[in-house]
């Protein structure tokens, strides 16, 4: 097996005539890169950019607000993956600003680790409505779809904020300044959806791309692949995680996604609407759609609705336009203990990952 | 959140498997793998309580090694491990 050291030697031996920016779009990748210290180990000309890889970070502020109101006003049992509970909404000082604060205020908010737990809680509480606030990319949305396809109790409703990864990359590539020269595609999204989903990066935009797993070896293999493509002029979608991300992906999971959910235009917090980038329940599953069943608490005119918190640069961090430590708040007002923006809240947020990885100093933007 | 953890299948009952990783046991849904046979002793990648893919034992071992290193470096995060 080729070791991380071998891959580093191969990469260092490449002649790069200009700086190369490689974007990843997966919090798991960013965590491995940061934890293994790959940035420091690679030649300076290679810049690793954390891109849109955190579904919690882009979950619409309005959806978090709605989830809070369902728990506070409609007295539902609100269940969500633990990452969502501390994501702040924009409300005047002193008001409840996150699900965890709603819980402290007496609302029944419960963290869960699996859609099967949402079902179990609904079955155990047949007299109460249970709302599963589900944010996530394809890998996480597919199990939500599977749970629906298998059969959800009638008192279980889904507040779905599922997002697709590739449309955000497509949006960046179609913009005037994408900000990267090559893509490392996410391993577990590809496991479910199939690596082929990323062909458009190569075919429509002429950028090298490689699917990577989560070990330093797999990530370095992917970096080497795209760097070599840049050097040689060849362009193809490489797969450096073939043991898990197999051709075609998991067809059963895709069928469940397609049966229960449809792909719709969707809002990304602080970024705006990205065409065909979100999931919504199909009409056949309307009986489980929290958006149809409960009142809309969106409070027209609420100040900064939908936006990132004041001063927070999470939106630009998510798009790879700004490195986490270049944010004005990073390490000053915003730390994991007192997070201002979702990128410091979520385990998949680039700010949180950098902070855990030991980056404690705010940087000057270059 | 998009990180899946490999686990060994210890028992199977319908679409439900009892799985184990490094001494930790979890109930795992095989609903998304219902079109292929999953047997005791197989390894599956598990994400939020659902098996998303079968993998070889060697792949499971290298992933466990990696996650040990990540946990040692960062401590357990807020997210549930499955």
């Amino acid at each position: 097996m080729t070791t991380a050291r071998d891959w580093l030697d191969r990469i260092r031996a490449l002649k790069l005539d200009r700086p190369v920016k490689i974007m990843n779009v997966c919090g798991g990748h960013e965590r491995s890169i940061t934890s293994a210290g790959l940035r420091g180990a690679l030649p300076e000309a290679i810049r690793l950019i954390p891109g849109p890889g955190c579904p919690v970070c882009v979950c619409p502020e309005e959806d978090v607000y709605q989830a809070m109101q369902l728990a506070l006003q409609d007295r539902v049992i609100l269940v969500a993956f633990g990452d969502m509970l501390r994501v702040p909404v924009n409300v005047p000082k002193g008001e409840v600003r996150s699900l965890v604060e709603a819980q402290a205020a007496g609302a029944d908010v419960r963290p869960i680790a699996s859609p099967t737990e949402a079902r179990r809680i609904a079955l155990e509480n047949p007299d109460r409505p249970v709302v599963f606030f589900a944010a996530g990319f394809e890998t996480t949305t597919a199990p939500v779809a599977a749970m629906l396809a298998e059969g959800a109790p009638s008192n279980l409703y889904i507040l779905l904020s599922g997002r697709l990864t590739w449309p955000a990359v497509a949006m960046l590539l179609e913009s005037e300044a994408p900000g990267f020269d090559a893509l490392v595609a996410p391993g577990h999204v590809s496991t479910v959806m199939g690596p082929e989903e990323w062909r458009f990066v190569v075919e429509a935009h002429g950028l090298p791309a490689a699917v990577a797993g989560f070990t330093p070896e797999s990530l370095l293999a992917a970096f080497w692949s795209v760097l070599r493509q840049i050097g040689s002029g060849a362009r193809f979608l490489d797969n450096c995680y073939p043991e898990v991300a197999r051709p075609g992906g998991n067809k059963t999971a895709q069928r469940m996604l397609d049966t229960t959910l449809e792909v719709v235009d969707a809002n990304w917090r602080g970024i705006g609407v990205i065409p065909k980038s979100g999931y919504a329940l199909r009409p056949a599953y309307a009986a489980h759609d929290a958006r149809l069943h409960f009142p809309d608490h969106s409070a027209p005119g609420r100040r900064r609705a939908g936006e990132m918190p004041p001063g927070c640069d999470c939106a630009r961090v998510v798009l790879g336009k700004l490195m986490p430590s270049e944010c004005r708040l990073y390490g000053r007002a915003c730390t994991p203990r007192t997070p201002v923006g979702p990128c410091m809240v979520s385990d998949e947020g680039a700010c949180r990952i950098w902070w855990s990885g030991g980056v404690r100093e705010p940087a000057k933007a270059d | 959140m998009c990180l899946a953890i490999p686990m060994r299948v210890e028992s199977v009952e319908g679409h439900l498997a009892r799985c184990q990783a490094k001494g930790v046991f979890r109930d795992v849904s095989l609903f998304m793998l219902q079109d292929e046979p999953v047997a005791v002793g197989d390894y599956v990648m598990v994400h939020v309580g659902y098996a998303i893919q079968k993998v070889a034992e060697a792949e499971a071992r290298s992933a466990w090694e990696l996650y040990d290193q990540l946990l040692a470096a960062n401590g357990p995060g807020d997210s549930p491990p499955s």
Side-chain angles (χ1 to χ4, degrees):
Chain A
M1 197 181 113
T2 314
T3 65
R5 166 65 50 197
D6 296 335
W7 286 119
L8 275 172
D9 288 343
R10 286 189 199 181
I11 290 171
R12 287 180 183 138
L14 291 170
K15 298 271 174 284
L16 295 171
D17 53 12
R18 62 186 175 87
V20 178
K21 291 180 177 178
I22 306 174
M23 179 175 272
N24 74 74
V25 292
C26 171
H29 279 167
E30 185 53 35
R31 190 164 284 273
S32 285
I33 288 167
T34 302
S35 169
L38 297 187
R39 276 195 182 81
L42 291 169
E44 214 169 298
I46 301 167
R47 286 198 73 187
L48 304 180
I49 315 280
C54 171
V56 168
C57 302
V58 299
C59 179
E61 191 261 0
E62 297 93 331
D63 287 1
V64 186
Y65 186 84
Q66 173 75 4
M68 287 165 48
Q69 303 317 312
L70 292 178
L72 288 164
Q73 297 184 37
D74 299 291
R75 310 307 292 176
V76 306
I77 301 175
L78 193 290
V79 302
F81 295 121
D83 254 22
M84 281 310 308
L85 301 197
R86 293 176 70 213
V87 173
V89 297
N90 299 319
V91 289
K93 266 198 168 52
E95 283 186 25
V96 173
R97 66 191 286 264
S98 67
L99 283 164
V100 80
E101 288 189 12
Q103 185 185 44
D108 194 344
V109 174
R110 308 183 191 182
I112 57 169
S114 168
T116 58
E117 282 183 55
R119 172 164 48 205
R120 178 180 54 75
I121 290 169
L123 288 171
E124 288 170 359
N125 297 275
D127 303 332
R128 296 186 61 192
V130 175
V131 173
F132 176 16
F133 179 27
F137 285 140
E138 297 92 329
T139 322
T140 311
T141 307
V144 177
M147 189 269 287
L148 278 171
E150 196 170 4
S154 59
N155 60 325
L156 180 57
Y157 305 90
I158 316 289
L159 178 59
L160 187 63
S161 304
R163 294 290 178 270
L164 289 84
T165 329
W166 70 265
V169 175
M171 182 199 73
L172 284 172
L173 286 171
E174 282 156 20
S175 71
E176 269 178 36
F180 58 102
D181 308 296
L183 181 82
V184 167
H188 290 148
V189 171
S190 302
T191 301
V192 172
M193 305 305 287
E196 302 81 3
E197 212 182 40
W198 299 97
R199 272 195 192 137
F200 78 96
V201 176
V202 178
E203 290 170 2
H205 302 280
L207 260 60
V211 174
F214 299 85
T215 59
E217 290 80 11
S218 183
L219 282 161
L220 287 166
F223 299 153
W224 185 73
S225 172
V226 296
L227 288 164
R228 214 168 64 117
Q229 291 185 49
I230 285 176
S232 70
R235 291 290 181 269
F236 60 96
L237 172 69
D238 205 349
N239 185 356
C240 302
Y241 196 39
E243 316 80 11
V244 182
R246 308 209 185 107
N250 181 334
K251 294 285 187 201
T252 313
Q254 292 164 30
R255 194 180 68 233
M256 285 163 190
L257 277 168
D258 192 49
T259 307
T260 59
L261 311 179
E262 56 190 330
V263 174
V264 295
D265 296 349
N267 189 22
W268 294 50
R269 184 172 185 175
I271 294 168
V273 172
I274 302 180
K276 304 281 176 202
S277 70
Y279 289 107
L281 273 72
R282 286 196 183 276
Y285 291 85
H288 294 289
D289 194 339
R291 295 184 195 278
L292 300 176
H293 189 79
F294 294 98
D296 178 359
H297 293 289
S298 61
R302 184 167 58 87
R303 217 169 146 257
R304 294 187 67 88
E307 296 178 32
M308 287 294 181
C312 166
D313 251 329
C314 274
R316 288 207 295 154
V317 169
V318 165
L319 293 175
K321 306 291 184 196
L322 199 72
M323 293 295 106
S325 60
E326 291 170 357
C327 172
R328 287 161 288 173
L329 303 183
Y330 184 90
R332 296 184 177 105
C334 187
T335 67
R337 202 176 288 273
T338 55
V340 175
C343 296
M344 193 60 95
V345 173
S346 173
D347 279 339
E348 289 190 300
C351 298
R352 175 65 174 265
I353 293 167
W354 279 37
W355 185 270
S356 312
V359 182
R360 296 293 157 90
E361 293 299 315
K364 289 258 177 284
D366 54 26
Chain B
M1 217 195 278
C2 281
L3 211 52
I5 310 276
M7 300 189 87
R8 184 181 188 275
V9 177
E10 303 291 341
S11 64
V12 181
E13 204 181 322
H15 291 312
L16 200 64
R18 191 74 180 154
C19 293
Q20 185 252 131
K22 311 197 73 155
V24 176
F25 286 79
R26 289 277 184 274
D27 287 329
V28 171
S29 171
L30 301 177
F31 203 64
M32 293 201 295
L33 289 183
Q34 61 182 270
D35 297 325
E36 54 182 311
V38 177
V40 171
D42 284 346
Y43 289 80
V44 289
M45 296 299 284
V46 178
H47 176 65
V48 294
Y50 282 75
I52 61 171
Q53 186 66 276
K54 273 166 76 168
V55 287
E57 182 178 347
E59 178 57 35
R61 294 198 180 283
S62 76
W64 282 339
E65 212 173 286
L66 166 76
Y67 297 142
D68 278 349
Q69 289 162 11
L70 286 181
L71 279 176
N74 297 306
D78 282 346
S79 300
S82 61

